[in-house]
Structures are given as structure tokens and as C-alpha cells.
């Protein structure tokens, strides 16, 4: 009997996997921004000049669509839970739909250009451009933004848990001074105070990261546009 060579399976934790997917999505976003600017430059060119470039652009859109499909399958194959993945599967599904729309419209634009139907071709090109912009808007939620959203959700859960613990503690300490409490209760209260201070620091750090991410996205988009 023929024996197959042993296969090595790399075990990867959900956090690392999602980080890798976020990085690849950031790459998709950069490419789609470039495609959007290239599409805009094709609007006013003659049909004979722009048909080959429009066809090439459609193929590049298809390549990015394949990347998104691969990432979707990777999440499904590794059975990443909804709690871990957050909105990422939904973002990938919508991005895939917009890219398919752009790819289909680009194909129609090529056909119109080849038949010298300039007005019809421009309408299809506008559809491509709009679909690509929708992908960009959607992927602005990915990468750092999705990571920040996940941390925000964790922060909210932690704050709600602390609120619940505080409410239970209040019934045990009602009408008592701090000095009159048992040592274990005082320790619990001091621990909750420390936890609350920690949550406050995490909240401030999250706000700073959100502001920084917004500035980075703005600067990155301009740099991509300059090199598109």
C-alpha cells in the first residue's frame, strides 16, 4: 500500500489568527484605495485607450475578491467563535459582495468600451468606483478599528461585572463605616477600587488609541493616493 507523507498541522490560537487576518485586510484596503484612484483616472479617457486598462483593473479587483474569500474560509475552517471574531465575518461578507459588484460592473464597462459606448461605459465605471469606495468605508472598521472595538466590548463587560459586584457588596456594608467592616470586606472594597482605577486607565488608553488610529488612517490614505 502507498503511504502518504505525514502532514504537519500548525496549531494557532484565535487571537494570533485574527491578527493575521486583520493584517491581510489592511493590505486589501490599500490595494482597493489604489484601484479606486485608478478607476477615477479612466473616466475621461477614450474607449480605445481605456478598455485594456479597465480590463486589467477588473482582474485586480477579482484578485482582492479572492483574498477576501480565502479569509472567510480560513475563519470558517478554524471555527473561530463569534465572541472571538466579533463583526469580522460580517465585514468580510459585505466586502466580498461589494468587490463582486465592482468586478461585474468592470466587466460590463469593458464590453461597453469595446463597442465604443462611452456614456454607458462611464455609468458602469461609476458603479465600479462607488463599490470600491464602499469596500474602503467598510474596511475602515477592520484592522486597528476592529481591535479597538473588541477592546471596547471587553471594557464594557468588565465595567458591568464590577457594577454588579459593587451592588452585591453594598448590601453587605450598608450603614457601616470603613473602620467597622471586617478585614475581608475592606480588602474586597480596596480591590474593587483598584479595579475601577485600572478600568479608568484602560478607558483613557482606548480613547488615545482611537484618536491615533484615526490620524494614521487619514495620513495613510493620502500617501496611498499619492502613489496610486
Amino acid at each position: 500500500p502507498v503511504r502518504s507523507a505525514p502532514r504537519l498541522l500548525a496549531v494557532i490560537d484565535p487571537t494570533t489568527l485574527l491578527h493575521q487576518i486583520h493584517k491581510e485586510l489592511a493590505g486589501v484596503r490599500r490595494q482597493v484605495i489604489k484601484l479606486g484612484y485608478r478607476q477615477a483616472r479612466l473616466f475621461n479617457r477614450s474607449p480605445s485607450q481605456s478598455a485594456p486598462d479597465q480590463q486589467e483593473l477588473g482582474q485586480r479587483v477579482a484578485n482582492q475578491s479572492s483574498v477576501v474569500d480565502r479569509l472567510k474560509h480560513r475563519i470558517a475552517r478554524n471555527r473561530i467563535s463569534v465572541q472571538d471574531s466579533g463583526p469580522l465575518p460580517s465585514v468580510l461578507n459585505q466586502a466580498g459582495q461589494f468587490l463582486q459588484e465592482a468586478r461585474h460592473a468592470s466587466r460590463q464597462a469593458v464590453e461597453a468600451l469595446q463597442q465604443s459606448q462611452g456614456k454607458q461605459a462611464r455609468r458602469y465605471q461609476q458603479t465600479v468606483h462607488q463599490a470600491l469606495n464602499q469596500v474602503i468605508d467598510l474596511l475602515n472598521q477592520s484592522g486597528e478599528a476592529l481591535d479597538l472595538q473588541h477592546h471596547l466590548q471587553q471594557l464594557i463587560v468588565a465595567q458591568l461585572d464590577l457594577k454588579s459586584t459593587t451592588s452585591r457588596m453594598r448590601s453587605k456594608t450598608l450603614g457601616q463605616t470603613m473602620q467597622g467592616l471586617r478585614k475581608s470586606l475592606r480588602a474586597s472594597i480596596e480591590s474593587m477600587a483598584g479595579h475601577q482605577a485600572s478600568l479608568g486607565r484602560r478607558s483613557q488608553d482606548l480613547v488615545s488609541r482611537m484618536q491615533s488610529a484615526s490620524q494614521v488612517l487619514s495620513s495613510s490614505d493620502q500617501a496611498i493616493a499619492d502613489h496610486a
Side-chain angles (χ1 to χ4, degrees), residues 40 120 135 144 164 216:
Q120 186 69 20
V135 175
E144 178 71 4
S164 177
V216 168

Side-chain angles (χ1 to χ4, degrees), residues 55-99:
Q55 190 166 17
E56 181 186 356
L57 187 143
Q59 183 55 54
R60 289 173 182 257
V61 171
N63 292 342
Q64 298 310 307
S65 179
S66 297
V67 173
V68 170
D69 286 341
R70 177 171 55 78
L71 296 178
K72 286 165 54 179
H73 293 151
R74 194 175 181 192
I75 289 178
R77 186 171 64 250
N78 286 275
R79 299 178 182 177
I80 302 299
S81 68
V82 174
Q83 183 177 0
D84 286 329
S85 65
L88 184 56
S90 176
V91 169
L92 289 170
N93 284 333
Q94 293 179 65
Q97 291 171 5
F98 290 139
L99 287 168

Side-chain angles (χ1 to χ4, degrees), residues 13 22-23 45 78 153 160 217-218 228:
D13 64 276
H22 289 160
K23 287 183 65 176
R45 293 177 60 184
N78 286 275
Q153 291 172 339
L160 290 174
L217 279 175
S218 178

Side-chain angles (χ1 to χ4, degrees), residues 93-149:
N93 284 333
Q94 293 179 65
Q97 291 171 5
F98 290 139
L99 287 168
Q100 285 293 334
E101 181 182 348
R103 180 183 181 185
H104 180 65
S106 181
R107 189 182 299 117
Q108 291 176 308
V110 170
E111 294 175 358
L113 288 167
Q114 290 171 341
Q115 298 172 17
S116 297
Q117 299 174 351
K119 290 184 178 180
Q120 186 69 20
R122 278 192 289 277
R123 281 197 289 270
Y124 289 133
Q125 288 175 324
Q126 287 283 1
T127 300
V128 174
H129 194 252
Q130 291 170 1
L132 293 176
N133 281 337
Q134 287 175 304
V135 175
I136 294 166
D137 290 341
L138 183 66
L139 294 187
N140 282 340
Q141 305 172 47
S142 70
E144 178 71 4
L146 277 173
D147 184 56
L148 290 172
Q149 184 176 3

Side-chain angles (χ1 to χ4, degrees), residues 1 28 31 90 92 103 114 143 172 179-180 184 204-205 222:
V28 170
Q31 293 303 315
S90 176
L92 289 170
R103 180 183 181 185
Q114 290 171 341
K172 299 178 181 179
Q179 291 75 16
S184 59
Q204 291 176 349
D205 177 63
Q222 186 57 52

